Each structure stands twice: as structure tokens, then as C-alpha cells.
Amino acid sequence: MDKFKNHGEMFLGVWYNKTSVEPILSQEECSMLKLDLSKLKGFIPEDYLTSRQDRLAKAAEMVAAHTGPGGDFTGWVTLPRDYDKEEFARIQAAAKKIQKQSQALVVIGIGGSYLGARAVIELLLSQNYNLKKKDTPDIFFAGNGLSTDYLLELIDLIGDRDFSVNVISKSGTTTEPAVAFRIFKALLEKKYGKEGARERIYATTDKARGALKGLADAEGYEEFVVPDDVGGRFSVLTAVGLLPIAVSGIDIDALMAGARQAMEELSVPGLDNPAWQYAAARHGLYQNGKSIEVLAGYEPRFRFFAEWWKQLYGESEGKDGKGLFPASVEFTADLHSMGQYIQDGERLMFETVVKFLPDGEYAIPDDPANVDGLNFLSGKPLAFVAEQAMRGTILAHVDGGVPNVLLELPQISAKSVGYLIYFFEYVCGLSGHLLEVNPFNQPGVEAYKKNMFALLGKPGYEDLKAELEAKL
């Protein structure tokens, strides 16, 4: 580390350039992602990292060895290397088949069964994917709610077009996707007959048991596996996410390659590891009174990636009365709505900003009348304006009492997105162990389900139904 002393300074356990905010070690040790923690100064103790070194080492060991609370659900840790290559090839073949046979694909799932796929498709191909001219099917998501209006609109959008269905559920009995699958299965059978529908239904489910598995076996649907050792919110790099992603035309080989690069780089233990630094910073901020982490992106197509991130951290950390509350904003748009609260409201939060390098370029035109007074920007790239807006926002929020973490990546690509997915998953595992909770279960999700089943009149819930109706 001595070789850096003539070029940088130490802050919070990380060496930084004296002339910029780039953390030297993070850039060298992690070629895809740069982590800037310089805007945490004054918000957490300078020994935030070294004081947690032993706990981080223990957490990393539990994640790597598949031990500790929830260890049975850490198959995602080596997934980018050890994934089922035969199934991967079948996913690619099924995607090509769907592209040829259908103009639309309905992806039926809830939570981790749809958020990851939608996050990747929109981030890589645009939130306007279905509106773009393309040679791949439109992709619609169903079974993630119970809105009648949404369902009717979706059926109308599909219209008379040829379509297929990818139903994703480990059990096959979760209410929202099960109801949606009933509806779209009936529509397929009405349109194509039972035999024709069979060729257009793809079931991603448990490998051995469950209602959907039994139905898929009986009906002869093509099947893909929800791994036993990968929880839903960590499943985007399994068939759960990869089949819809591949149908959209995204290079899933490159996606997995980015995740594997992250796996290999982040598995190296030590204080130079950016995942250790970020996990420790989050924990330090939490213990120093910050209860909300706001994920900020500057690309509209980042929105559903943030939704995926919120489930990942909310379900992993929010238990036993603990955990940072994950929220998200889209800048610069939300600077004109949530910006006031972030700047001047209760000092409950810190920000994590994700920045990608721009892929395109557009110069701001000159206006001879200069009506808006912006001719000083004439000829400058729009990306330059966006960069200064981001830098100015970070400084304003830090001055207002909101600590800031900055994650910088190259241009949005399958590889960089794969890297970012794994980075957040790995940090999530470390963070849960630092909090001393099981990061891989979600007991609180079951509470609403029991109440819903009782109020719907499901057999076996009669006593609870009477108790709940007395409260209403």
C-alpha cells in the first residue's frame, strides 16, 4: 500500500487520489466498478472499515462456505461459474422458438419471479422496449398484482397477435401468479386448442414437486428449474430471469460473463474489496442513525433495476426489527419532487448513486434569441450537462446532511449489468450477516398471505376468517 502514499490520501480505510474523487484501490482491484466513498467523511467514524474487519471476514466466509443463517439458499454465490450449462442451452433454444412463434410473451410471476427479468430488459433495451421497432416479441408482465383493469388492458394489448406464456412459480399456488396463469392458459387453449397451447407454455418451477411442476409434467409443458438453493430475489441469473431476458434478444452469455467477473473479483477477502467497503459503510451509517438508503439513478431505464434492488435489500435485511429501508429516486426528474425532502427533510437517509458512462452523444443547439439564457451551453454535449447536474446534486445533498456513495460503471451493457447484479447480491449477503439477521429468508411475507386466504374463504382458515372479519 506504500506505493500509493505519494499519490493519494487515506480516508475511511481507502486510498483516494488527491486531485480527484476516484478511489485508487477500488479502481485497480475492481476493473468494472469504481466505488467512491469520499462523501461519507464526517458521517461515520474513520475506522468504520477496520473496526468491522473481523466481522466482514466471518460474513464473507459464511457466504463462501454456504454456512450461517440461510446458508442453504446461497447457491447464487457460485452460480455465474457453476450454472447448469445444459439448461442454459435449452433456455437459448426456447428463446429462439418463442421469437419465431410469437409476437408477444406474457411473463407470469411476482416478486423475484419477474422483477429481475424486467429490470435487466428495461435497463439494457429501454423502458420503451415494447414500443421500439424490433424483431423480438413484445414482453408483458402479469401475475404481479390483482388489478382487473391491468389484466383487461393487457389482454387488449395482445389482441389477435400470436403469444406465448412463461409462468414462473416454485410452488404454483401463490395467489397472484396462479390466478393470472389460469386466465392466460384458458386464453391460449381457446385460441390454439389444448395441443397448440402446450407448445406455447413454458413453466419455470421446482425440479421435483409442487402444483405447477405436477401440471407441467401432466400437460407436457417445456420446463425450467427454480434452483432449491437460490431464493427468488437472487434468481435473476437462473432460468427465472434468463428465459425472458433471452427472448428480448439480450446476450445472456455476456450477462453471465459480467457476473462471473464480479464473482471472481469480489471473492478475494480483504479491506481492498469494494463489496467489503460498501457493506461496512452501509452498516456504519445505519448504526450512526441513518435508517433509509436511497438508490438514485440518472437514467429513466434504471427504474425497474431499482425496484429489483429494493426487493433484494428489503426482504433480506428487514427483519427482527432491523434494517435499512430501501427507497429509490430517478434523477433529475425527482429533484423536482422528492428533492426538497432529501435536501431539507428529516436527516434519516443516505444516498447510493449508480452512474453509467453515456453510450451516445448529442450536442445542445444554439438559439440566436437566447430566450432561455442557456447559450453558454451551446455546442456542449448533453452528457456534460448531466454530469454537472449529478456532481452539483451530490454536493448539495452532502452539504444538507445526506451522505453519498457513488458507484460508477462503464456504458450500460450486458456485461456491466451482470457485474452490477452480482455486486449488489454479494453486498446484500455480507450486509445481512453484519446485521446478524438471516439475509436469505422472508418470514414476514407470509403474514398477508394468511389473512388473504382467510378472507377469501380458503378451506382450513375458517377460524382466522371469523377473527379477521370481526376486526374489519
Side-chain angles (χ1 to χ4, degrees), residues 15 38 44 97 121 125 161 185-187 271 325 347 388 405 410 426 428 440:
W15 284 96
S38 64
I44 52 176
K97 180 182 175 184
I121 291 168
L125 299 178
R161 293 185 292 171
K185 178 174 176 286
L187 290 173
L271 299 184
F325 182 84
R347 303 296 76 190
Q388 305 319 311
V405 174
Y426 189 73
C428 187
F440 308 115

Side-chain angles (χ1 to χ4, degrees), residues 26-238:
S26 292
Q27 172 64 4
E28 288 206 348
E29 296 296 323
C30 186
S31 58
M32 184 72 72
L33 177 146
K34 295 195 294 182
L35 174 67
D36 178 5
L37 300 172
S38 64
K39 300 301 185 292
L40 300 184
K41 192 170 185 177
F43 293 103
I44 52 176
E46 292 198 8
D47 69 346
Y48 89 98
L49 184 58
T50 55
S51 64
R52 290 172 174 79
Q53 182 172 3
D54 291 343
R55 296 174 66 185
L56 283 163
K58 183 178 179 181
E61 182 180 353
M62 286 191 289
V63 170
H66 311 288
T67 58
D72 291 343
F73 289 92
T74 51
W76 57 270
V77 176
T78 57
L79 185 70
R81 180 191 66 207
D82 299 335
Y83 62 91
D84 185 332
K85 308 305 188 294
E86 184 275 332
E87 183 178 61
F88 193 82
R90 286 200 304 112
I91 289 170
Q92 292 174 311
K96 290 179 181 178
K97 180 182 175 184
I98 293 168
Q99 290 169 349
K100 290 179 180 178
Q101 73 182 172
S102 296
Q103 296 164 293
L105 172 67
V106 180
V107 180
I108 298 175
I110 195 167
S113 293
Y114 95 100
L115 279 171
R118 185 164 184 178
V120 173
I121 291 168
E122 293 200 3
L123 182 54
L124 284 170
L125 299 178
S126 167
Q127 73 279 18
N128 298 314
Y129 167 79
N130 284 350
L131 300 177
K132 297 174 72 173
K133 292 181 180 179
K134 57 191 183 299
D135 56 6
T136 52
D138 286 353
I139 298 178
F140 299 100
F141 295 90
N144 49 68
L146 294 167
S147 168
T148 302
D149 290 346
Y150 178 86
L151 177 74
L152 292 172
E153 180 184 48
L154 179 50
I155 293 171
D156 184 59
L157 286 170
I158 295 170
D160 294 329
R161 293 185 292 171
D162 288 321
F163 74 101
S164 297
V165 166
N166 178 204
V167 55
I168 306 166
S169 175
K170 192 165 180 63
S171 67
T173 58
T174 302
T175 304
E176 294 92 336
V179 167
F181 183 52
R182 276 196 179 203
I183 292 167
F184 282 98
K185 178 174 176 286
L187 290 173
L188 281 171
E189 291 179 349
K190 181 179 179 181
K191 185 177 179 71
Y192 300 105
K194 200 170 183 65
E195 292 294 324
R198 177 182 294 118
E199 294 299 313
R200 294 174 174 275
I201 296 175
Y202 301 80
T204 306
T205 188
D206 191 272
K207 66 180 179 181
R209 64 182 68 86
L212 181 55
K213 169 63 177 174
L215 177 64
D217 285 349
E219 296 290 336
Y221 304 149
E222 183 164 4
E223 298 178 41
F224 300 94
V225 175
V226 180
D228 289 337
D229 57 357
V230 179
R233 59 188 175 275
F234 290 86
S235 67
V236 60
L237 298 178
T238 72

Side-chain angles (χ1 to χ4, degrees), residues 28 53 75 84 181 257 283 356 378 394 414 416 424 458:
E28 288 206 348
Q53 182 172 3
D84 185 332
F181 183 52
H283 190 249
F356 291 94
S378 296
I394 289 172
S416 65
F424 277 133
K458 185 174 182 177

Side-chain angles (χ1 to χ4, degrees), residues 261-278:
Q261 181 181 343
M263 180 196 78
E264 292 170 349
E265 293 178 354
L266 302 178
S267 66
V268 179
L271 299 184
D272 295 341
N273 187 318
W276 284 38
Q277 295 168 7
Y278 180 40

Side-chain angles (χ1 to χ4, degrees), residues 292-300 302-307 309-310 326-342 349-354 393 397 404:
I292 300 171
E293 180 175 14
V294 179
L295 188 71
Y298 280 77
E299 293 292 339
F302 188 73
R303 178 191 167 198
F304 260 89
F305 195 95
E307 295 299 316
W309 174 88
K310 285 192 286 190
S328 64
V329 288
E330 179 190 312
F331 288 157
T332 60
D334 284 343
L335 290 173
H336 298 264
S337 56
M338 295 302 295
Q340 174 61 44
Y341 191 97
I342 294 171
M349 67 195 72
F350 70 95
E351 283 180 312
T352 296
V353 176
V354 176
T393 300
H397 288 177
N404 183 276

Side-chain angles (χ1 to χ4, degrees), residues 275-386:
W276 284 38
Q277 295 168 7
Y278 180 40
R282 296 178 75 253
H283 190 249
L285 289 161
Y286 174 68
Q287 291 197 322
N288 278 270
K290 300 301 181 184
S291 57
I292 300 171
E293 180 175 14
V294 179
L295 188 71
Y298 280 77
E299 293 292 339
R301 55 180 167 158
F302 188 73
R303 178 191 167 198
F304 260 89
F305 195 95
E307 295 299 316
W308 169 81
W309 174 88
K310 285 192 286 190
Q311 185 204 5
L312 179 67
Y313 281 85
E315 279 195 354
S316 297
E317 293 188 311
K319 53 200 68 163
D320 300 339
K322 302 177 183 178
L324 286 159
F325 182 84
S328 64
V329 288
E330 179 190 312
F331 288 157
T332 60
D334 284 343
L335 290 173
H336 298 264
S337 56
M338 295 302 295
Q340 174 61 44
Y341 191 97
I342 294 171
Q343 188 70 45
D344 285 337
E346 287 197 60
R347 303 296 76 190
L348 304 172
M349 67 195 72
F350 70 95
E351 283 180 312
T352 296
V353 176
V354 176
K355 175 195 173 186
F356 291 94
L357 292 178
D359 193 29
E361 187 175 297
Y362 199 95
I364 297 172
D366 186 69
D367 177 10
N370 198 22
V371 173
D372 52 20
L374 295 180
N375 269 359
F376 67 97
L377 297 177
S378 296
K380 289 185 170 60
L382 183 60
F384 169 78
V385 180

